[in-house]
Amino acid sequence: MRTLWKKMLSKYHVSLDWMRFTIFSLGDRSYGDNFCMAARKFRQRLIGLGGQEIVSIGLGDEQEGNGYFTEYREVWLPKLI
């Protein structure tokens, strides 16, 4: 992952305007501002390189009553399908 990230941050990286993507991240809100930070940064970089997000990012919180399943099954997955 580190190698990929370094290539994506390179000023010589090619455009990703051909890419369509979606992200679902698992995390724990007790981390505060760092909740799902890696996925959020990755999303921003993909968009910055021209990628097209087909479904907005899903952030699953392990602290929820059913863990991340509620966000995944009831909100994010139906949008993807």
Side-chain angles (χ1 to χ4, degrees):
M1 184 69 179
R2 181 172 283 172
T3 303
L4 172 64
W5 189 245
K6 283 182 180 181
K7 287 182 180 181
M8 288 181 68
L9 291 177
S10 169
K11 66 181 179 178
Y12 301 108
H13 198 280
V14 296
S15 172
L16 296 178
D17 59 356
W18 54 269
M19 179 183 281
R20 293 173 42 121
F21 71 93
T22 188
I23 297 173
F24 187 85
S25 180
L26 306 177
D28 186 327
R29 287 205 188 270
S30 67
Y31 286 94
D33 290 340
N34 292 324
F35 173 63
C36 295
M37 181 61 73
R40 292 186 288 139
K41 283 185 175 184
F42 191 63
R43 174 187 172 268
Q44 283 302 114
R45 187 61 183 150
L46 287 174
I47 290 171
L49 292 170
Q52 298 172 19
E53 188 175 37
I54 57 174
V55 175
S56 60
I57 189 171
L59 303 175
D61 183 9
E62 188 59 35
Q63 295 298 316
E64 292 285 326
N66 290 328
Y68 65 89
F69 288 112
T70 302
E71 175 71 20
Y72 177 75
R73 281 189 294 202
E74 296 177 13
V75 179
W76 187 80
L77 188 59
K79 289 179 186 178
L80 180 61
I81 293 172

